[in-house]
Amino acid sequence: MSTVPSDLPKDAGSRLQELEHGMFTSDLSVNEFLLVKRAGFHPLGLVMGSSIYHIGLQRGNWGQSQEMTKLSEAMYNARELAMKRMEEEADQLGADGVVGVRLDIKFYEWGSDSAEFIAVGTAVKAEDGQSYRNNQGKPFTSDLSGQDFWTLTQTGYFPLALVMGTCVYHIAHRGIGQAIGQMGRNAELENFTQAMYDARELAMKRMQDEANSLAAAGVVGMRLEEKNHMWGEHTIEFLSIGTAVARRAGADHVAIPQPTTIISFDN
Amino acid sequence: MTDTDGRSAFDSGLTTPDFAACLSMGLQPVALVQGFYVGQLGAWSSYRANAVHTYPCPWGWRGTNEHPPPGWLGTQDAVDEAWATAFATAHQRMVQEAEGLGAHGVAGVQVEMGHPASEQSTEVHLYGTAVRLAGTAPGSLWTTRIAGHKLAKLVEAGYAPVSVLYARCTAAMYEGCYMEHYGSNMVPAGTALTPVQDVHNLARTRALQQAWQLAGGHSLYDVELSAHEGEGQTMYVTCQVLGSLVRRVRPTLPLATPVSTVALRD
Amino acid sequence: MTDAPAPRSAFADRAHQEADLGELGRLLAQAHGAGDIGRGCTSHLSLDEVLLLHAVGLEPASVVTSTSAVTVPPGVWTWNTGQVQEADYAFAEAFGVTRDQLRVQAKQVGALGVVTVDIELRLDPHRFVITMMGTAVRAATDEHGNAHFPVRYPTPFLCDLSARDFVVLSRSGWYPIDLVAGASFVHAPRRGLGAAIGQATQNVELTPMTETLYAARELAMGRLQQEIGRVQGTGLLDVRVVDRPMGFAHHVIRFTAVGTAVKLLAEAHVHPELEMVVPVDDRVAAFDARNLD
């Protein structure tokens, strides 16, 4: 057993030791478990990372649309901390990767301006003895379900890492004059449109940059989440998140079976 | 809807797929049939539960003016009997209505129960679609909560519907001074709260026992078991069991090995 | 109210003459008046689940249920530091007793185990009440009286997996062993006033807080793993973790994890043959102008 990385809180060690002796825990459903097994992986254990983070203060300029860089940094750094700790737990178990990763943010009543960032997933190890770690030598991470993971492996592609980009943006309030001028008319709120565009573009670009640095072929299951969290209506976090994938060496000609078309009679 | 020969059309509570599945089994819907019963419960407070157990004072006191009497556990048989009568009567009325139509069974039975006027009243309303099996002489009429393809599957699997079944038990527990003792600092965490456990277990066990008796050796499927706890000086736990009674008429056919599939969808 | 109304359907009268019942209709007609050849049972499973269980040699026997209630002494929820040990203990006790009682009931009806156990946790300030309800299953016999379920359990198994999951899992060689739980209740750490002022504008990790919650979560998961080891399971599937502040005491964070310990009892894992399918009955996510308010 390797020593616990100093970054991991001390209590993480003993639980992981038990998992090294063949017992596994997982929040995979039965179907997901069987599909992950079918894809050639065995679950090692539920791994998680958490960080309670104080999010600094930054006030938006009432009439100006702008990125709140300090808040963007906070959201990114805190998630990174949680993800990193989860990866470290997986690393300690000798895992090839983590499937079914969920990122959560919890706001507690007693923790003003702070939030807990959590990453949870199931660490897995290949049964064929080969290494499936990503090109940075780290366990791969993915938020794909067991079903999607199996389907992806059928295509010859393989997850590299969960990639994300975030941008907290303050969207300007309309000037009173402008609001009166537009009253009663159908009109595009151009500054809103532009602000939303900019913010989404920033978030997506940051995610793509992460994917590029991994030399990924693409990002699957990408989604864009928009949340106000605790900042009121005009400050929004745009979070772009997905699984960066690459074609696995030697998987150039993968014949994907023609899927059967069915109509389910389930209610 | 009008029917050109001047007689009325059938009416049915079946959904379209259920209707189609019934027709495929040779079951012709005849009419929506129903049975009602509205009754009165005697005043709850005057009911004396049938005590099955008492909880003596943990401090060893006997009932005195300063001290509450010992706690007890029992069942509110009169209340449960009132509901059982209400259900049985409403069911019987629905069956009679269906028999009058020459039906063989009632499919897709819905059960609604409530207190229409006050807490002191009981209402049971059962309704379903009377169906006739073409070319077959009427026999003892069956009722079931399922319809359509589920009913088809039941028949195919070698079962036949019998009836809708309802059972219930209301258990009551008066805590005496027991909970006062157990709510104090003197009792360590994790100590069993026997009276609370007992009242929950009694309600559920009795309701299931009653269901067994009513089932008369048949199989009760799709059991819905719901328990409700009332707060107060006397704690009531009501457990209700609703299910579909079926009988096995042929040995079960071996099920073909299912195909495992992964759906490509989000 | 006893007189039934006169027949009011024309459709069915005509249908009476159409004698072709089809296969199912004939079966239904044959069933008329036929005796019950089954063993009686109560079950909260659907018919599909019953048929699936039959396919692996099991049949429902009886609905079983058990409740246990335990004390939580007054004062334990007052904001303090560290673990709420009384609550940890009370949870473990209530869960253990309910589970054992459910197994006793399963034994009484001669069952092999209990599937689809529904677990209800009621955590009130002064008491924890845990209820479990499931359908006990027994070995089904064929017409020659032979049982086909391949596994012998020394004591009835319990699982909160659905009958469908149970069947799918057992076809792959894995079987449920027992229900397991791990719990930990912890007081949120208070922040020093000085720290709060100093950090007001900064992005910074609140390390003591992270460590407190980490430790509590690890404790719950560690207890869960101990339980799996105790029942000699090798894994835990579908674990449901609840970590959130208690409704009546926001400064206490609850970590509870409940799931079914499983074990590979066949000689090797058996992969299911999979077929990729495309359902064509997906509901189309349509543009809905009503949402544009």
Side-chain angles (χ1 to χ4, degrees):
Chain A
M1 155 111 197
S2 52
T3 51
V4 183
S6 57
D7 183 55
L8 276 185
K10 58 182 190 309
D11 295 280
S14 59
R15 183 176 74 84
L16 297 179
Q17 243 165 4
E18 283 179 10
L19 292 176
E20 282 185 342
H21 295 290
M23 177 199 293
F24 72 88
T25 53
S26 164
D27 61 354
L28 295 175
S29 70
V30 168
N31 286 341
E32 286 181 297
F33 167 66
L34 295 175
L35 285 161
V36 167
K37 291 282 281 181
R38 194 78 184 83
F41 291 84
H42 187 75
L44 297 177
L46 200 67
V47 285
M48 47 186 118
S50 151
S51 171
I52 300 187
Y53 204 85
H54 179 266
I55 298 160
L57 267 187
Q58 185 179 13
R59 286 193 203 291
N61 194 333
W62 200 79
Q64 196 185 344
S65 293
Q66 62 181 147
E67 183 180 6
M68 310 289 277
T69 45
K70 195 172 209 169
L71 302 186
S72 294
E73 275 167 22
M75 300 307 280
Y76 188 83
N77 292 345
R79 280 199 193 89
E80 268 296 298
L81 274 175
M83 285 282 293
K84 197 173 115 216
R85 286 173 185 158
M86 184 191 73
E87 280 169 26
E88 281 168 359
E89 287 201 3
D91 188 45
Q92 246 198 299
L93 290 172
D96 280 306
V98 187
V99 296
V101 174
R102 292 189 317 279
L103 288 176
D104 267 342
I105 304 182
K106 287 174 194 280
F107 294 94
Y108 296 112
E109 274 186 18
W110 38 266
S112 58
D113 299 324
S114 62
E116 186 184 18
F117 293 76
I118 306 168
V120 190
T122 297
V124 297
K125 190 172 176 61
E127 289 175 333
D128 63 6
Q130 290 184 40
S131 171
Y132 284 79
R133 293 197 168 205
N134 64 23
N135 43 21
Q136 298 183 337
K138 287 185 186 166
F140 71 83
T141 52
S142 145
D143 62 348
L144 299 177
S145 66
Q147 286 83 358
D148 286 353
F149 178 68
W150 177 78
T151 308
L152 183 71
T153 59
Q154 295 304 103
T155 65
Y157 283 85
F158 203 77
L160 293 171
L162 192 67
V163 286
M164 60 191 174
T166 183
C167 173
V168 182
Y169 213 84
H170 178 262
I171 293 165
H173 295 250
R174 280 191 296 170
I176 291 172
Q178 193 190 6
I180 289 172
Q182 288 174 340
M183 212 190 308
R185 287 197 291 129
N186 288 339
E188 179 173 18
L189 303 174
E190 282 166 8
N191 51 345
F192 276 56
T193 307
Q194 191 57 45
M196 302 291 259
Y197 247 108
D198 292 347
R200 289 197 185 106
E201 283 295 322
L202 274 171
M204 280 158 70
K205 184 172 176 311
R206 285 170 187 163
M207 184 195 72
Q208 278 172 15
D209 288 347
E210 279 202 11
N212 284 334
S213 72
L214 289 159
V219 179
V220 297
M222 194 215 118
R223 50 188 204 282
L224 194 65
E225 290 175 2
E226 296 172 18
K227 289 203 175 113
N228 294 105
H229 298 306
M230 52 188 177
W231 304 306
E233 266 190 20
H234 279 258
T235 304
I236 306 172
E237 184 195 18
F238 295 83
L239 172 69
S240 179
I241 191 164
T243 297
V245 299
R247 193 181 274 278
R248 235 182 117 63
D252 293 335
H253 298 287
V254 176
I256 302 170
Q258 184 69 31
T260 312
T261 310
I262 59 160
I263 298 181
S264 167
F265 276 24
D266 297 340
N267 277 334
Chain B
M1 183 171 169
T2 52
D3 196 317
T4 45
D5 69 0
R7 287 186 288 182
S8 62
F10 72 89
D11 45 7
S12 150
L14 300 175
T15 62
T16 311
D18 286 350
F19 173 62
C22 277
L23 290 183
S24 78
M25 280 185 279
L27 286 175
Q28 299 288 348
V30 185
L32 196 75
V33 288
Q34 54 185 349
F36 278 114
Y37 181 91
V38 181
Q40 182 188 301
L41 281 176
W44 265 73
S45 53
S46 69
Y47 275 116
R48 180 83 179 96
N50 303 307
V52 296
H53 193 75
T54 53
Y55 304 104
C57 168
W59 288 288
W61 293 93
R62 299 283 167 83
T64 64
N65 287 340
E66 296 89 52
H67 204 75
W72 50 257
L73 172 75
T75 50
Q76 291 278 2
D77 294 350
V79 176
D80 296 329
E81 278 159 19
W83 280 104
T85 305
F87 186 89
T89 312
H91 185 264
Q92 184 53 27
R93 285 174 180 162
M94 181 180 72
V95 167
Q96 279 172 355
E97 199 174 317
E99 280 172 348
L101 295 163
H104 293 82
V106 184
V109 175
Q110 306 272 326
V111 180
E112 285 171 7
M113 305 178 85
H115 304 279
S118 69
E119 286 291 303
Q120 305 302 323
S121 63
T122 58
E123 182 194 12
V124 177
H125 179 203
L126 295 173
Y127 59 98
T129 302
V131 290
R132 199 180 283 169
L133 193 58
T136 309
S140 71
L141 192 132
W142 48 262
T143 62
T144 177
R145 293 168 74 209
I146 58 176
H149 68 277
K150 284 187 175 168
L151 184 57
K153 214 182 299 179
L154 184 83
V155 173
E156 201 178 355
Y159 295 91
V162 178
S163 71
V164 183
L165 183 146
Y166 172 76
R168 76 178 260 150
C169 173
T170 305
M173 184 270 293
Y174 169 68
E175 58 184 49
C177 57
Y178 208 88
M179 301 306 252
E180 198 181 317
H181 172 67
Y182 280 83
S184 72
N185 263 320
M186 298 186 311
V187 176
T191 308
L193 282 165
T194 321
V196 177
Q197 253 163 234
D198 288 351
V199 67
H200 273 275
N201 285 324
L202 182 66
R204 288 176 173 85
T205 313
R206 281 278 173 94
L208 285 166
Q209 272 173 359
Q210 208 198 335
W212 263 112
Q213 280 165 9
L214 291 169
H218 297 310
S219 298
L220 186 65
Y221 282 162
D222 267 332
V223 166
E224 274 176 40
L225 186 140
S226 64
H228 168 75
E229 181 188 313
E231 287 286 342
Q233 263 286 306
T234 305
M235 183 193 268
Y236 293 99
V237 176
T238 302
C239 178
Q240 307 189 74
V241 175
L242 191 61
S244 292
L245 206 56
V246 299
R247 62 203 159 90
R248 173 90 61 81
V249 290
R250 285 180 293 114
T252 310
L253 299 173
L255 196 71
T257 307
V259 179
S260 308
T261 63
V262 183
L264 299 175
R265 76 162 133 199
D266 292 315
Chain C
M1 179 70 208
T2 48
D3 287 345
R8 55 171 185 266
S9 167
F11 191 92
D13 284 343
R14 285 197 302 268
H16 214 49
Q17 290 132 27
E18 299 163 11
D20 185 22
L21 289 171
E23 177 63 24
L24 289 176
R26 273 192 294 279
L27 288 176
L28 205 55
Q30 282 165 15
H32 236 64
D36 193 337
I37 61 164
R39 294 192 276 173
C41 74
T42 58
S43 147
H44 80 307
L45 304 172
S46 70
L47 181 69
D48 283 346
E49 291 182 307
V50 172
L51 293 178
L52 276 168
L53 284 175
H54 262 293
V56 292
L58 293 176
E59 65 176 19
S62 170
V63 174
V64 287
T65 160
S66 102
T67 299
S68 81
V70 299
T71 50
V72 179
V76 306
W77 304 110
T78 313
W79 200 349
N80 214 311
T81 52
Q83 293 291 127
V84 189
Q85 278 170 354
E86 293 89 344
D88 292 7
Y89 180 72
F91 187 93
E93 188 66 17
F95 193 90
V97 170
T98 319
R99 179 181 54 193
D100 294 346
Q101 282 304 313
L102 197 69
R103 202 186 328 273
V104 168
Q105 291 211 15
K107 267 187 193 149
Q108 279 169 357
V109 297
L112 277 169
V114 186
V115 295
T116 323
V117 175
D118 181 43
I119 304 168
E120 185 190 318
L121 309 174
R122 257 189 54 192
L123 310 184
D124 292 336
H126 303 302
R127 61 172 173 238
F128 289 173
V129 182
I130 297 184
T131 298
M132 295 182 188
M133 195 266 283
T135 293
V137 294
R138 62 190 168 208
T141 48
D142 60 17
E143 57 267 54
H144 311 295
N146 299 321
H148 296 289
F149 189 69
V151 176
R152 281 174 186 274
Y153 284 98
T155 177
F157 72 86
L158 305 177
C159 79
D160 61 352
L161 303 173
S162 70
R164 203 188 60 83
D165 280 348
F166 174 83
V167 169
V168 171
L169 198 62
S170 64
R171 282 180 185 276
S172 283
W174 293 78
Y175 290 85
I177 305 290
D178 209 346
L179 291 170
V180 288
S184 151
F185 297 80
V186 66
H187 290 289
R190 292 172 198 258
R191 284 162 72 187
L193 193 63
I197 291 170
Q199 290 164 351
T201 61
Q202 292 166 28
N203 285 336
V204 60
E205 181 174 23
L206 305 173
T207 316
M209 288 202 177
T210 305
E211 280 179 349
T212 307
L213 292 203
Y214 227 99
R217 187 175 285 132
E218 290 296 323
L219 192 60
M221 293 306 289
R223 284 175 174 157
L224 186 70
Q225 284 174 208
Q226 272 173 20
E227 281 277 278
I228 303 168
R230 189 183 61 77
V231 302
Q232 295 171 2
T234 48
L236 179 75
L237 286 175
D238 222 351
V239 56
R240 286 177 311 289
V241 180
V242 175
D243 52 342
R244 58 166 183 243
M246 298 294 282
F248 54 82
H250 291 288
H251 54 270
V252 174
I253 302 161
R254 153 192 174 188
F255 297 97
T256 53
V258 178
T260 295
V262 297
K263 193 173 191 169
L264 181 65
L265 293 176
E267 282 183 9
H269 180 90
V270 183
H271 288 302
E273 277 314 309
L274 289 175
E275 190 178 330
M276 258 193 217
V277 297
V278 185
V280 289
D281 54 354
D282 252 353
R283 281 191 197 93
V284 180
F287 174 77
D288 188 353
R290 281 169 306 180
N291 292 340
L292 304 175
D293 46 9

